[in-house]
Amino acid sequence: MIVLRSFSLVAATIGLAFALPVAAQTGSIVVTVRDSATGQPLSGATLMLANTPLSATTDVQGRFTFGGLVTGRYTLRSTAIGYASDSVVAVFVEDGTQRQVILALQPVPLRLQEVVVTASRAAERSEHAIASVAALPSEHIVQRNVTAIDEALIYVPGVTLNGENQLDIRGVAGLARGIGSRVLVLLDGHPILSGDGGEINFGTIPMLDLDRSEVVKGAYSALYGSNALGGVVNLLTTTIDSLPQTVLRAHADAYNHQQQYQWSDGRQGAVGLGLQHSRMVGSVGTRFALGYEGTNGFSENGESGRWLGRVKLSSRNDAAAPWDVFGVLVRERAGEAFVWRSAEEPYLVPPGVAGDYTVQHTVLTGASVTPLATASTLVRISPHFNVSSVDNHFSDNDDWHHAYKPGVVARLSRYAGERQVFTVGVDGSHTWVQSNFLGEPTILDLAAFLQNDVRFTKALKGSFGLRVDHHKANTGSPEWAFSPKAGVALQIAPRATIRASIGTGYRAPSAIEQFVSSRQFGFQVIPNPELRGEHAWSGELGTTVTLMDRVRVDAAVFGSSYRDLIGPGPAPAQPFVFQFQNVSRAHLAGFDIGVNAHLIPDRLEVQTGYMLLTTEDRDSGKPLPYRSRHNLTGTVAVLQGLAAVDVRYRSRVEEVLAFPLDPRSGVTVVDLRLGYKALNVLWQFKVSNLFNQFFVDVQERNPGAPRTIGITVVHGI
């Protein structure tokens, strides 16, 4: 078998890497990064040794040591949010020597996360990536005063949220409850979708130590495999520093309903509390966090209570063989409602389902071990083990399902001088499920991938890759998927690049889609073991331009074609019985643009994003459901982001499934936020849905949140 042979080849290659002789003496570079204006050290600055796999972030003293360097000349590059990047070329290192390098970065108005790792699995400047990639740095997430990361991701051009946990990139997903996510979500590079349904739960993602969120748009299965049909979101946490740090975040919110829709005499609101502490214990970095989020909901059955615990351990930043490991444990009890009672009572649920709720338990674990990291070779092994459990307490069923999914990714990258980087790797996971309506299915997923990055000239870079996936459930036929990709990025000016890429996407069917046997909404749903995976072709042509370190523009035209999309359909020869089937083909095309402008340094910043989206179901000729043709976001911020107005607009959803005769209109929501920071404490005040507009939140008969007024206190950020 091709995949099994690839596993053996990579294992042998990694074993050979371990056996490579290590020089008796090597050199090192000790880097110190400072603010050129004040001379103060810059912690969290990104350092890269050009044409090597080595990159790092500076500690609280602004320092990092690159060790184990063989004799040669190295180019050192550094960048930090709010500073112009800087480089030192031809740093000569000899065996047994230590070179001291000081970099003084100059402050600039534009504050962006310029170094990303998700697009190629290696550190690179975002404008040099062959695909559209956007990064949200932690300070932008904190300023937006959100309790879940999806509330900040919707300000990334091309990203929409179509209901709770329904993340969409460039229209690939729409609204598909019960269908696995068509966007792959990672935590520090590890997959965190549920094992049984392949679904997102943003409530399981810790917020206090997020360093940045990276969004790669378009089909990216060539590098990341299943679920990366429409893109990848990688949530990266901060490194553990040498000095102890404690972070506390508390908030309280109140819902303010429109008078005609007031449905309860009680007060509706939400509260949250999070506490995190980090310190070094000997040579091991430790971080512990505990948090609670609770609400009685702005609608009936909208209540929820969620406890989240997190631990992270890591080696020292400058360890010869760095490693880290994390664990997340979440317990959530949440009310469940699908439609409103009536147009006159939109915040009440139909009689008979009041009190329906679910209890969910989630365990996410992951580790990364880098046994070999030299100027020419990188070996990284990343195991993970996720557990998800859901128990329904509904008026019409008490269904339950528990899923267990261990997996591992191993890769070897070889740098052949300044011109070429070759990466080969394997990816495998095994899922088993226990459930009263799924049975006890097992699923084996194996894959092998390779990528070749080539620098043809100083200005022109190319990337070519291929991935082979093998999907096999314990019943049904096995499936193979081949996912190639190719792309180029051309630097046409010092801060201007153009890029073009084409690639394929693949999403294997989840256990729920293949094996569900239950009654949902009064209809019988039966298994379909022969269900096939979804496939896509996606291409784009884009550009990134930075003007005078004040304005940055990122734009792209894109197109995608999909086949074998999974959805509910009538079972053959069984009236009023349904199953998940490969029911449709689709085509999407559009344009997205993001502009970030610091018009007055530290005083006035404007961010805006727009996406034009056209869609077509190739079988019916109609637009795809739950997509909006025009999607616009905008932010006007002053005083370094402490005060801002946010606007979100999406045009009328062109097609729906359940209630097509219901009136529909566009949605505009305006938020106001204010902040004040003193003595290491950030005080924030936020009014969401400032004008208290009543709107339907994408899915028919699901009302959006009314005006919400909240106060947040953050200490230690």
Side-chain angles (χ1 to χ4, degrees), residues 230-311:
V232 180
V233 175
N234 193 6
L235 307 166
L236 298 160
T237 61
T238 58
T239 57
I240 300 173
D241 211 85
S242 57
L243 295 180
Q245 182 187 38
T246 300
V247 179
L248 173 68
R249 184 182 190 273
H251 74 92
D253 307 320
Y255 299 117
N256 179 210
H257 288 81
Q258 305 90 328
Q259 186 174 358
Q260 66 270 35
Y261 296 126
Q262 188 70 38
W263 61 275
S264 172
D265 295 332
R267 294 182 178 180
Q268 279 75 49
V271 296
L273 179 65
L275 178 65
Q276 175 180 283
H277 182 71
S278 305
R279 66 168 53 240
M280 295 296 296
V281 179
S283 61
V284 177
T286 62
R287 175 177 292 147
F288 300 92
L290 181 66
Y292 173 79
E293 293 289 337
T295 177
N296 57 359
F298 61 81
S299 64
E300 188 178 21
N301 278 24
E303 75 284 351
S304 68
R306 180 175 66 249
W307 287 95
L308 183 148
R310 168 173 163 80
V311 61

Side-chain angles (χ1 to χ4, degrees), residues 210-234:
L210 275 184
D211 178 57
R212 65 187 186 275
S213 302
E214 297 183 359
V215 180
V216 182
K217 308 172 194 178
Y220 231 67
S221 294
L223 199 56
Y224 287 98
S226 183
N227 293 98
L229 199 73
V232 180
V233 175
N234 193 6

Side-chain angles (χ1 to χ4, degrees), residues 624-680:
L624 294 174
Y626 306 110
R627 276 82 166 179
S628 296
R629 185 176 180 84
H630 302 283
N631 303 266
L632 176 69
T633 63
T635 296
V636 178
V638 298
L639 304 177
Q640 295 185 327
L642 289 176
V645 174
D646 302 316
V647 180
R648 307 188 306 276
Y649 167 78
R650 59 185 299 168
S651 61
R652 175 182 180 270
V653 173
E654 296 184 277
E655 190 75 18
V656 297
L657 296 179
F659 302 100
L661 299 181
D662 281 10
R664 305 192 298 276
S665 62
V667 176
T668 303
V669 178
V670 179
D671 299 341
L672 171 68
R673 47 189 169 91
L674 303 171
Y676 178 76
K677 189 170 185 179
L679 301 177
N680 205 29

Side-chain angles (χ1 to χ4, degrees), residues 48-81:
M48 295 182 292
L49 279 184
N51 307 314
T52 80
L54 303 178
S55 63
T57 56
T58 56
D59 60 17
V60 290
Q61 283 82 35
R63 292 166 59 92
F64 184 82
T65 300
F66 289 103
L69 302 179
V70 297
T71 298
R73 297 185 183 276
Y74 295 88
T75 296
L76 180 67
R77 295 172 181 162
S78 178
T79 185
I81 298 175

Side-chain angles (χ1 to χ4, degrees), residues 217-513:
K217 308 172 194 178
Y220 231 67
S221 294
L223 199 56
Y224 287 98
S226 183
N227 293 98
L229 199 73
V232 180
V233 175
N234 193 6
L235 307 166
L236 298 160
T237 61
T238 58
T239 57
I240 300 173
D241 211 85
S242 57
L243 295 180
Q245 182 187 38
T246 300
V247 179
L248 173 68
R249 184 182 190 273
H251 74 92
D253 307 320
Y255 299 117
N256 179 210
H257 288 81
Q258 305 90 328
Q259 186 174 358
Q260 66 270 35
Y261 296 126
Q262 188 70 38
W263 61 275
S264 172
D265 295 332
R267 294 182 178 180
Q268 279 75 49
V271 296
L273 179 65
L275 178 65
Q276 175 180 283
H277 182 71
S278 305
R279 66 168 53 240
M280 295 296 296
V281 179
S283 61
V284 177
T286 62
R287 175 177 292 147
F288 300 92
L290 181 66
Y292 173 79
E293 293 289 337
T295 177
N296 57 359
F298 61 81
S299 64
E300 188 178 21
N301 278 24
E303 75 284 351
S304 68
R306 180 175 66 249
W307 287 95
L308 183 148
R310 168 173 163 80
V311 61
K312 179 178 180 178
L313 305 175
S314 69
S315 62
R316 293 176 57 91
N317 290 348
D318 56 356
W323 59 269
D324 64 75
V325 60
F326 72 84
V328 179
L329 173 63
V330 182
R331 195 267 188 190
E332 181 175 16
R333 183 191 189 278
E336 189 70 50
F338 295 102
V339 296
W340 63 39
R341 179 178 294 182
S342 69
E344 292 73 32
E345 301 174 295
Y347 292 106
L348 293 174
V349 299
V353 301
D356 283 6
Y357 69 95
T358 64
V359 176
Q360 302 184 43
H361 293 87
T362 304
V363 178
L364 306 173
T365 66
S368 291
V369 182
T370 308
L372 182 63
T374 70
S376 61
T377 306
L378 176 75
V379 174
R380 180 162 293 160
I381 303 170
S382 302
H384 67 270
F385 183 40
N386 299 340
V387 180
S388 55
S389 170
V390 180
D391 294 271
N392 293 346
H393 297 267
F394 294 171
S395 55
D396 61 351
N397 76 73
D398 290 312
D399 289 342
W400 56 271
H401 48 109
H402 308 155
Y404 310 87
K405 188 174 183 177
V408 64
V409 178
R411 65 184 175 97
L412 167 69
S413 296
R414 184 74 178 177
Y415 284 64
E418 300 180 2
R419 296 290 185 183
Q420 192 172 35
V421 182
F422 186 77
T423 299
V424 60
V426 293
D427 187 350
S429 66
H430 179 69
T431 304
W432 68 93
V433 180
Q434 298 173 339
S435 171
N436 70 318
F437 68 98
L438 297 172
E440 297 188 358
T442 60
I443 297 174
L444 178 66
D445 290 289
L446 299 174
F449 60 89
L450 59 87
Q451 177 170 296
N452 190 18
D453 295 317
V454 182
R455 185 160 293 281
F456 300 107
T457 68
K458 185 177 180 180
L460 180 61
K461 167 190 172 183
S463 182
F464 311 93
L466 174 66
R467 180 179 172 116
V468 182
D469 280 275
H470 176 71
H471 174 82
K472 178 65 172 72
N474 59 332
T475 61
S477 303
E479 182 175 29
W480 294 86
F482 296 85
S483 302
K485 74 159 188 176
V488 293
L490 174 65
Q491 186 172 353
I492 57 177
R495 297 303 302 271
T497 59
I498 57 175
R499 61 183 179 273
S501 64
I502 187 169
T504 59
Y506 168 70
R507 187 182 75 85
S510 70
I512 288 179
E513 293 163 359

